[in-house]
mmCIF file with all atom_site columns, all heavy atoms in Angstrom:
data_model
loop_
_atom_site.group_PDB
_atom_site.id
_atom_site.type_symbol
_atom_site.label_atom_id
_atom_site.label_alt_id
_atom_site.label_comp_id
_atom_site.label_asym_id
_atom_site.label_entity_id
_atom_site.label_seq_id
_atom_site.pdbx_PDB_ins_code
_atom_site.Cartn_x
_atom_site.Cartn_y
_atom_site.Cartn_z
_atom_site.occupancy
_atom_site.B_iso_or_equiv
_atom_site.pdbx_formal_charge
_atom_site.auth_seq_id
_atom_site.auth_comp_id
_atom_site.auth_asym_id
_atom_site.auth_atom_id
_atom_site.pdbx_PDB_model_num
ATOM 1   N N   . ARG A 1 92  ? -47.478 -57.156 -14.081 1.00 76.00 ? 92  ARG A N   1
ATOM 2   C CA  . ARG A 1 92  ? -46.180 -56.954 -13.442 1.00 76.00 ? 92  ARG A CA  1
ATOM 3   C C   . ARG A 1 92  ? -46.025 -57.779 -12.180 1.00 76.00 ? 92  ARG A C   1
ATOM 4   O O   . ARG A 1 92  ? -44.927 -57.900 -11.649 1.00 76.00 ? 92  ARG A O   1
ATOM 5   C CB  . ARG A 1 92  ? -46.004 -55.473 -13.088 1.00 76.00 ? 92  ARG A CB  1
ATOM 6   C CG  . ARG A 1 92  ? -45.939 -54.562 -14.294 1.00 76.00 ? 92  ARG A CG  1
ATOM 7   C CD  . ARG A 1 92  ? -45.658 -53.135 -13.882 1.00 76.00 ? 92  ARG A CD  1
ATOM 8   N NE  . ARG A 1 92  ? -44.434 -53.061 -13.092 1.00 76.00 ? 92  ARG A NE  1
ATOM 9   C CZ  . ARG A 1 92  ? -43.943 -51.928 -12.598 1.00 76.00 ? 92  ARG A CZ  1
ATOM 10  N NH1 . ARG A 1 92  ? -44.572 -50.798 -12.802 1.00 76.00 ? 92  ARG A NH1 1
ATOM 11  N NH2 . ARG A 1 92  ? -42.830 -51.921 -11.909 1.00 76.00 ? 92  ARG A NH2 1
ATOM 12  N N   . GLY A 1 93  ? -47.132 -58.335 -11.680 1.00 69.00 ? 93  GLY A N   1
ATOM 13  C CA  . GLY A 1 93  ? -47.103 -59.086 -10.426 1.00 69.00 ? 93  GLY A CA  1
ATOM 14  C C   . GLY A 1 93  ? -47.664 -58.268 -9.285  1.00 69.00 ? 93  GLY A C   1
ATOM 15  O O   . GLY A 1 93  ? -47.790 -57.035 -9.364  1.00 69.00 ? 93  GLY A O   1
ATOM 16  N N   . ASP A 1 94  ? -48.027 -58.962 -8.210  1.00 68.00 ? 94  ASP A N   1
ATOM 17  C CA  . ASP A 1 94  ? -48.583 -58.325 -7.007  1.00 68.00 ? 94  ASP A CA  1
ATOM 18  C C   . ASP A 1 94  ? -49.830 -57.497 -7.328  1.00 68.00 ? 94  ASP A C   1
ATOM 19  O O   . ASP A 1 94  ? -50.076 -56.447 -6.705  1.00 68.00 ? 94  ASP A O   1
ATOM 20  C CB  . ASP A 1 94  ? -47.526 -57.437 -6.327  1.00 68.00 ? 94  ASP A CB  1
ATOM 21  C CG  . ASP A 1 94  ? -46.326 -58.224 -5.846  1.00 68.00 ? 94  ASP A CG  1
ATOM 22  O OD1 . ASP A 1 94  ? -46.526 -59.371 -5.407  1.00 68.00 ? 94  ASP A OD1 1
ATOM 23  O OD2 . ASP A 1 94  ? -45.201 -57.705 -5.915  1.00 68.00 ? 94  ASP A OD2 1
ATOM 24  N N   . GLY A 1 95  ? -50.629 -57.959 -8.286  1.00 70.00 ? 95  GLY A N   1
ATOM 25  C CA  . GLY A 1 95  ? -51.875 -57.268 -8.610  1.00 70.00 ? 95  GLY A CA  1
ATOM 26  C C   . GLY A 1 95  ? -51.729 -56.062 -9.505  1.00 70.00 ? 95  GLY A C   1
ATOM 27  O O   . GLY A 1 95  ? -52.724 -55.424 -9.860  1.00 70.00 ? 95  GLY A O   1
ATOM 28  N N   . LEU A 1 96  ? -50.489 -55.704 -9.862  1.00 78.00 ? 96  LEU A N   1
ATOM 29  C CA  . LEU A 1 96  ? -50.249 -54.534 -10.703 1.00 78.00 ? 96  LEU A CA  1
ATOM 30  C C   . LEU A 1 96  ? -50.052 -54.934 -12.157 1.00 78.00 ? 96  LEU A C   1
ATOM 31  O O   . LEU A 1 96  ? -49.435 -55.957 -12.456 1.00 78.00 ? 96  LEU A O   1
ATOM 32  C CB  . LEU A 1 96  ? -49.018 -53.767 -10.234 1.00 78.00 ? 96  LEU A CB  1
ATOM 33  C CG  . LEU A 1 96  ? -49.148 -52.901 -8.974  1.00 78.00 ? 96  LEU A CG  1
ATOM 34  C CD1 . LEU A 1 96  ? -47.789 -52.302 -8.623  1.00 78.00 ? 96  LEU A CD1 1
ATOM 35  C CD2 . LEU A 1 96  ? -50.169 -51.791 -9.176  1.00 78.00 ? 96  LEU A CD2 1
ATOM 36  N N   . SER A 1 97  ? -50.553 -54.101 -13.050 1.00 83.00 ? 97  SER A N   1
ATOM 37  C CA  . SER A 1 97  ? -50.352 -54.306 -14.479 1.00 83.00 ? 97  SER A CA  1
ATOM 38  C C   . SER A 1 97  ? -50.100 -52.969 -15.141 1.00 83.00 ? 97  SER A C   1
ATOM 39  O O   . SER A 1 97  ? -50.705 -51.951 -14.776 1.00 83.00 ? 97  SER A O   1
ATOM 40  C CB  . SER A 1 97  ? -51.578 -54.961 -15.123 1.00 83.00 ? 97  SER A CB  1
ATOM 41  O OG  . SER A 1 97  ? -51.770 -56.268 -14.635 1.00 83.00 ? 97  SER A OG  1
ATOM 42  N N   . GLN A 1 98  ? -49.200 -52.979 -16.121 1.00 88.00 ? 98  GLN A N   1
ATOM 43  C CA  . GLN A 1 98  ? -48.988 -51.775 -16.922 1.00 88.00 ? 98  GLN A CA  1
ATOM 44  C C   . GLN A 1 98  ? -50.076 -51.709 -17.994 1.00 88.00 ? 98  GLN A C   1
ATOM 45  O O   . GLN A 1 98  ? -50.327 -52.686 -18.696 1.00 88.00 ? 98  GLN A O   1
ATOM 46  C CB  . GLN A 1 98  ? -47.610 -51.804 -17.588 1.00 88.00 ? 98  GLN A CB  1
ATOM 47  C CG  . GLN A 1 98  ? -47.311 -50.542 -18.381 1.00 88.00 ? 98  GLN A CG  1
ATOM 48  C CD  . GLN A 1 98  ? -45.995 -50.624 -19.136 1.00 88.00 ? 98  GLN A CD  1
ATOM 49  O OE1 . GLN A 1 98  ? -45.806 -51.489 -19.980 1.00 88.00 ? 98  GLN A OE1 1
ATOM 50  N NE2 . GLN A 1 98  ? -45.069 -49.746 -18.807 1.00 88.00 ? 98  GLN A NE2 1
ATOM 51  N N   . VAL A 1 99  ? -50.725 -50.574 -18.112 1.00 91.00 ? 99  VAL A N   1
ATOM 52  C CA  . VAL A 1 99  ? -51.789 -50.393 -19.093 1.00 91.00 ? 99  VAL A CA  1
ATOM 53  C C   . VAL A 1 99  ? -51.263 -49.562 -20.252 1.00 91.00 ? 99  VAL A C   1
ATOM 54  O O   . VAL A 1 99  ? -50.736 -48.456 -20.056 1.00 91.00 ? 99  VAL A O   1
ATOM 55  C CB  . VAL A 1 99  ? -53.017 -49.707 -18.463 1.00 91.00 ? 99  VAL A CB  1
ATOM 56  C CG1 . VAL A 1 99  ? -54.112 -49.509 -19.508 1.00 91.00 ? 99  VAL A CG1 1
ATOM 57  C CG2 . VAL A 1 99  ? -53.551 -50.540 -17.306 1.00 91.00 ? 99  VAL A CG2 1
ATOM 58  N N   . ILE A 1 100 ? -51.410 -50.100 -21.453 1.00 93.00 ? 100 ILE A N   1
ATOM 59  C CA  . ILE A 1 100 ? -50.959 -49.420 -22.660 1.00 93.00 ? 100 ILE A CA  1
ATOM 60  C C   . ILE A 1 100 ? -52.188 -49.077 -23.490 1.00 93.00 ? 100 ILE A C   1
ATOM 61  O O   . ILE A 1 100 ? -52.969 -49.955 -23.860 1.00 93.00 ? 100 ILE A O   1
ATOM 62  C CB  . ILE A 1 100 ? -49.984 -50.311 -23.453 1.00 93.00 ? 100 ILE A CB  1
ATOM 63  C CG1 . ILE A 1 100 ? -48.730 -50.546 -22.611 1.00 93.00 ? 100 ILE A CG1 1
ATOM 64  C CG2 . ILE A 1 100 ? -49.619 -49.697 -24.799 1.00 93.00 ? 100 ILE A CG2 1
ATOM 65  C CD1 . ILE A 1 100 ? -47.881 -51.682 -23.075 1.00 93.00 ? 100 ILE A CD1 1
ATOM 66  N N   . VAL A 1 101 ? -52.374 -47.814 -23.753 1.00 95.00 ? 101 VAL A N   1
ATOM 67  C CA  . VAL A 1 101 ? -53.548 -47.332 -24.490 1.00 95.00 ? 101 VAL A CA  1
ATOM 68  C C   . VAL A 1 101 ? -53.102 -46.759 -25.828 1.00 95.00 ? 101 VAL A C   1
ATOM 69  O O   . VAL A 1 101 ? -52.257 -45.864 -25.871 1.00 95.00 ? 101 VAL A O   1
ATOM 70  C CB  . VAL A 1 101 ? -54.313 -46.274 -23.676 1.00 95.00 ? 101 VAL A CB  1
ATOM 71  C CG1 . VAL A 1 101 ? -55.458 -45.687 -24.502 1.00 95.00 ? 101 VAL A CG1 1
ATOM 72  C CG2 . VAL A 1 101 ? -54.857 -46.881 -22.389 1.00 95.00 ? 101 VAL A CG2 1
ATOM 73  N N   . ARG A 1 102 ? -53.645 -47.317 -26.890 1.00 95.00 ? 102 ARG A N   1
ATOM 74  C CA  . ARG A 1 102 ? -53.269 -46.933 -28.258 1.00 95.00 ? 102 ARG A CA  1
ATOM 75  C C   . ARG A 1 102 ? -51.750 -46.866 -28.410 1.00 95.00 ? 102 ARG A C   1
ATOM 76  O O   . ARG A 1 102 ? -51.199 -45.925 -28.955 1.00 95.00 ? 102 ARG A O   1
ATOM 77  C CB  . ARG A 1 102 ? -53.910 -45.607 -28.651 1.00 95.00 ? 102 ARG A CB  1
ATOM 78  C CG  . ARG A 1 102 ? -55.411 -45.711 -28.879 1.00 95.00 ? 102 ARG A CG  1
ATOM 79  C CD  . ARG A 1 102 ? -55.906 -44.641 -29.850 1.00 95.00 ? 102 ARG A CD  1
ATOM 80  N NE  . ARG A 1 102 ? -57.335 -44.751 -30.009 1.00 95.00 ? 102 ARG A NE  1
ATOM 81  C CZ  . ARG A 1 102 ? -58.232 -44.047 -29.294 1.00 95.00 ? 102 ARG A CZ  1
ATOM 82  N NH1 . ARG A 1 102 ? -57.809 -43.194 -28.399 1.00 95.00 ? 102 ARG A NH1 1
ATOM 83  N NH2 . ARG A 1 102 ? -59.518 -44.202 -29.493 1.00 95.00 ? 102 ARG A NH2 1
ATOM 84  N N   . GLY A 1 103 ? -51.093 -47.894 -27.888 1.00 94.00 ? 103 GLY A N   1
ATOM 85  C CA  . GLY A 1 103 ? -49.668 -48.052 -28.128 1.00 94.00 ? 103 GLY A CA  1
ATOM 86  C C   . GLY A 1 103 ? -48.748 -47.391 -27.135 1.00 94.00 ? 103 GLY A C   1
ATOM 87  O O   . GLY A 1 103 ? -47.542 -47.631 -27.154 1.00 94.00 ? 103 GLY A O   1
ATOM 88  N N   . LYS A 1 104 ? -49.280 -46.545 -26.210 1.00 94.00 ? 104 LYS A N   1
ATOM 89  C CA  . LYS A 1 104 ? -48.429 -45.809 -25.285 1.00 94.00 ? 104 LYS A CA  1
ATOM 90  C C   . LYS A 1 104 ? -48.770 -46.155 -23.838 1.00 94.00 ? 104 LYS A C   1
ATOM 91  O O   . LYS A 1 104 ? -49.951 -46.247 -23.479 1.00 94.00 ? 104 LYS A O   1
ATOM 92  C CB  . LYS A 1 104 ? -48.582 -44.296 -25.492 1.00 94.00 ? 104 LYS A CB  1
ATOM 93  C CG  . LYS A 1 104 ? -48.210 -43.824 -26.893 1.00 94.00 ? 104 LYS A CG  1
ATOM 94  C CD  . LYS A 1 104 ? -46.756 -44.143 -27.232 1.00 94.00 ? 104 LYS A CD  1
ATOM 95  C CE  . LYS A 1 104 ? -46.395 -43.704 -28.645 1.00 94.00 ? 104 LYS A CE  1
ATOM 96  N NZ  . LYS A 1 104 ? -45.015 -44.131 -29.013 1.00 94.00 ? 104 LYS A NZ  1
ATOM 97  N N   . PRO A 1 105 ? -47.745 -46.338 -22.982 1.00 90.00 ? 105 PRO A N   1
ATOM 98  C CA  . PRO A 1 105 ? -48.010 -46.663 -21.573 1.00 90.00 ? 105 PRO A CA  1
ATOM 99  C C   . PRO A 1 105 ? -48.783 -45.535 -20.889 1.00 90.00 ? 105 PRO A C   1
ATOM 100 O O   . PRO A 1 105 ? -48.395 -44.367 -20.965 1.00 90.00 ? 105 PRO A O   1
ATOM 101 C CB  . PRO A 1 105 ? -46.606 -46.808 -20.971 1.00 90.00 ? 105 PRO A CB  1
ATOM 102 C CG  . PRO A 1 105 ? -45.692 -47.012 -22.130 1.00 90.00 ? 105 PRO A CG  1
ATOM 103 C CD  . PRO A 1 105 ? -46.302 -46.273 -23.274 1.00 90.00 ? 105 PRO A CD  1
ATOM 104 N N   . LEU A 1 106 ? -49.868 -45.923 -20.223 1.00 84.00 ? 106 LEU A N   1
ATOM 105 C CA  . LEU A 1 106 ? -50.685 -44.942 -19.506 1.00 84.00 ? 106 LEU A CA  1
ATOM 106 C C   . LEU A 1 106 ? -50.308 -44.901 -18.030 1.00 84.00 ? 106 LEU A C   1
ATOM 107 O O   . LEU A 1 106 ? -50.452 -43.890 -17.361 1.00 84.00 ? 106 LEU A O   1
ATOM 108 C CB  . LEU A 1 106 ? -52.162 -45.301 -19.660 1.00 84.00 ? 106 LEU A CB  1
ATOM 109 C CG  . LEU A 1 106 ? -53.190 -44.302 -19.144 1.00 84.00 ? 106 LEU A CG  1
ATOM 110 C CD1 . LEU A 1 106 ? -53.141 -43.023 -19.975 1.00 84.00 ? 106 LEU A CD1 1
ATOM 111 C CD2 . LEU A 1 106 ? -54.589 -44.891 -19.193 1.00 84.00 ? 106 LEU A CD2 1
ATOM 112 N N   . GLY A 1 107 ? -49.822 -46.037 -17.515 1.00 77.00 ? 107 GLY A N   1
ATOM 113 C CA  . GLY A 1 107 ? -49.471 -46.127 -16.107 1.00 77.00 ? 107 GLY A CA  1
ATOM 114 C C   . GLY A 1 107 ? -49.792 -47.517 -15.595 1.00 77.00 ? 107 GLY A C   1
ATOM 115 O O   . GLY A 1 107 ? -50.146 -48.419 -16.362 1.00 77.00 ? 107 GLY A O   1
#
Side-chain angles (χ1 to χ4, degrees):
R92 295 184 56 180
D94 298 324
L96 284 176
S97 294
Q98 183 185 60
V99 179
I100 296 164
V101 175
R102 289 207 182 94
K104 300 300 179 185
L106 188 66

